[in-house]
Amino acid sequence: MQAEVSEVMRRSLRRDGALPLPRAGEVRTARGRRSHLLRAALLMVLATAAAPAHAFIAYVSNEKSNTVSVIDTDSWTVTKTIKVGQRPRGIDFTRDGKFVLVAVGDDDTIQVIDAKTQTVVDSLPSGPDPELFAQDAAGKILYVANENDNTVTVIDLEKRARLGDIQVGVEPEGMTISPDGKTLINTSETTNMAHFIDTASRQIVANVLVDARPRFAEFKHDSSEVWVSSEIGGTVSIIDPRKHEVIGKVTFEIPGLRKEAIQPVGIGMTKDDKTAFIALGPANRIAVVDVATRKVTKYLLVGQRVWHVAFTPDEKYLLTTNGVSNDVSVIDVAAQKVIKTIQVGELPWGVTIAP
C-alpha cells in the first residue's frame, strides 16, 4: 500500500514540476529532495485521511418541556439544552446560519437563538399561536402561520419588524416558498386547503382543496410540484403549482396497522428530487417514496409518533423527531436504515440543521 501511495505521489509531484529529472552528478541530491518531498506529501495525505468529518449541529424543539436540544452529528449526542418559551414547535436556521428561529406558540412570538452562544437573544413579533414559518431565499422576509387567528404574519428579519398580515383559511400551519421566491404556500388544517400566495402582492391567487387536515407542504427543487401531507386524510397530495390542481396522490398501506393510524406529516425531499421521506405520525414509520412513480418503496421503523424530518446538508443522514418516545432517529439516507436513536426533551416536534 505504501509503495502504491508513493508511486501516485511521485507521479503527481513530477507532473506538477516539483520533481524534475536529475542531471548527471545530481542523482544523490535529487534523490534526497524527492525523498523529502514524498515524505511531506505522504504525511499530508495521511493527516487528511485521519481528520474527522465536519460535524453538523442540529436543533430540536421540545414542545412539552419548553426546550431546544442541541445535537452534535459527529458524536450523535445532546451537547446542550436551551430553555425557551412556552410550546416551541416550528424551528429553522436563518439563511446565513447565524441564528435559529423557534416559534413559541403559547408566548405568541418567534424567539431568536444565537447559534454561536446557543442562547436566546431576541424575539420577533408574530400573531397568536405561531406554528410553522418560511423564509425568502435572501433571508430577509419571514412568513409565519398563526394558528389561532387564521393569518400569515410577514416579518422583516433585518429590522425585526412586523410588516403586515395575510388572511388565510382556518388553522393555518404548513408553510413553504417556491425556489424562485414568487409563491408562498400555506395549508389550513380545518379549511383543508393549500393557499397559493403571491409574495409581491401578498394576495391569495389560488386555493386548492386537499384531503383532511393538511399539515406540511414541500416544493420539489425544480418547482414542478408541491407535495402536501394530509394527516387525517392519510395521503400526500401532489399539486401542479402552475395549474393549481391536484395531479396525483401518494397513499400508504402498512400490514397490521389500521388506516387511521397512518397520519402523514413532515416531508423531506432529496436535492435531486428522486426520493421523498415522509413521516407517518402514530404509524411510527418513515415512508420512502420514489418521486417519479409516487410509490412507497420502503417503510422504516423509527420512534413513536414521528413528526418532522431534516437532512444534514450533505444528505448523508436524515433526522426525525419522535414525539411520544421523546427521541430522535438517525437514518442513513444511502442505506435507507435507522442507525441511531438520541434521547431529547419531552414531545420533540421540529428539527433544523446548520446549513
Side-chain angles (χ1 to χ4, degrees):
M1 177 64 184
Q2 186 172 354
E4 292 176 359
V5 173
S6 298
E7 181 59 25
V8 170
M9 295 305 301
R10 183 181 294 110
R11 290 175 182 171
S12 176
L13 289 167
R14 180 166 291 140
R15 184 176 59 248
D16 294 339
L19 284 179
L21 290 173
R23 295 190 299 270
E26 295 182 350
V27 174
R28 184 173 299 174
T29 303
R31 283 177 179 169
R33 185 163 60 247
R34 283 202 300 269
S35 178
H36 174 74
L37 287 170
L38 284 170
R39 281 198 300 270
L42 182 58
L43 286 172
M44 290 176 64
V45 170
L46 293 175
T48 302
H54 173 69
F56 301 107
I57 304 300
Y59 285 69
V60 175
S61 59
N62 302 303
E63 185 177 5
K64 189 174 181 180
S65 58
N66 301 325
T67 60
V68 169
S69 298
V70 183
I71 297 174
D72 179 278
T73 66
D74 186 19
S75 61
W76 296 120
T77 58
V78 174
T79 58
K80 187 168 184 177
T81 299
I82 305 168
K83 189 69 178 175
V84 293
Q86 302 292 308
R87 202 183 180 197
R89 288 176 292 175
I91 188 167
D92 197 9
F93 269 88
T94 53
R95 298 294 188 204
D96 59 12
K98 293 181 179 179
F99 300 98
V100 177
L101 307 176
V102 56
V104 284
D106 288 354
D107 285 350
D108 300 336
T109 191
I110 306 294
Q111 287 190 321
V112 181
I113 298 171
D114 186 308
K116 187 174 181 180
T117 63
Q118 296 181 346
T119 57
V120 176
V121 294
D122 206 348
S123 61
L124 303 172
S126 75
D129 198 14
E131 190 161 354
L132 278 170
F133 49 82
Q135 301 172 64
D136 68 350
K140 293 182 178 180
I141 303 295
L142 188 71
Y143 302 92
V144 184
N146 305 301
E147 191 170 18
N148 283 359
D149 73 349
N150 310 330
T151 62
V152 169
T153 295
V154 184
I155 300 172
D156 184 312
L157 282 173
E158 189 174 355
K159 296 179 180 178
R160 303 195 174 178
R162 185 171 177 165
L163 300 179
D165 298 294
I166 304 167
Q167 197 72 31
V168 289
V170 180
E171 289 190 285
E173 180 173 350
M175 297 289 290
T176 191
I177 196 165
S178 60
D180 64 8
K182 294 181 179 180
T183 305
L184 178 73
I185 308 293
N186 167 250
T187 64
S188 52
E189 295 180 47
T190 300
T191 310
N192 298 332
M193 285 184 174
H195 307 289
F196 285 69
I197 301 166
D198 179 88
T199 56
S201 65
R202 296 176 188 161
Q203 299 292 318
I204 293 177
V205 295
N207 297 302
V208 180
L209 187 67
V210 294
D211 290 334
R213 203 172 187 185
R215 299 301 298 264
F216 195 79
E218 180 84 344
F219 265 96
K220 285 180 64 177
H221 296 83
D222 66 4
S223 303
S224 63
E225 296 173 355
V226 181
W227 288 38
V228 175
S229 63
S230 294
E231 184 180 23
I232 302 303
T235 62
V236 171
S237 295
I238 300 169
I239 301 172
D240 184 321
R242 293 172 294 276
K243 297 180 179 179
H244 302 134
E245 61 184 36
V246 176
I247 57 174
K249 290 185 181 181
V250 180
T251 58
F252 311 92
E253 187 174 344
I254 302 173
L257 285 185
R258 295 173 289 109
K259 270 288 191 184
E260 53 267 32
I262 303 173
Q263 300 176 5
V265 186
I267 303 171
M269 196 173 295
T270 54
K271 294 173 186 176
D272 61 10
D273 288 331
K274 291 183 178 180
T275 308
F277 293 80
I278 301 172
L280 298 181
N284 306 336
R285 285 167 174 83
I286 293 288
V288 183
V289 179
D290 181 279
V291 174
T293 64
R294 301 169 185 166
K295 301 295 184 184
V296 177
T297 59
K298 195 173 186 179
Y299 291 101
L300 306 176
L301 185 64
V302 291
Q304 297 177 43
R305 195 174 179 86
V306 55
W307 206 247
H308 285 288
V309 302
F311 289 102
T312 53
D314 58 10
E315 284 193 353
K316 287 185 177 180
Y317 304 103
L318 181 78
L319 275 61
T320 78
T321 53
N322 311 316
V324 175
S325 52
N326 298 330
D327 54 29
V328 168
S329 296
V330 181
I331 295 171
D332 182 310
V333 173
Q336 295 185 358
K337 68 177 183 179
V338 177
I339 61 169
K340 188 79 175 178
T341 300
I342 306 164
Q343 206 69 27
V344 289
E346 292 183 84
L347 294 185
W349 198 94
V351 55
T352 186
I353 302 176

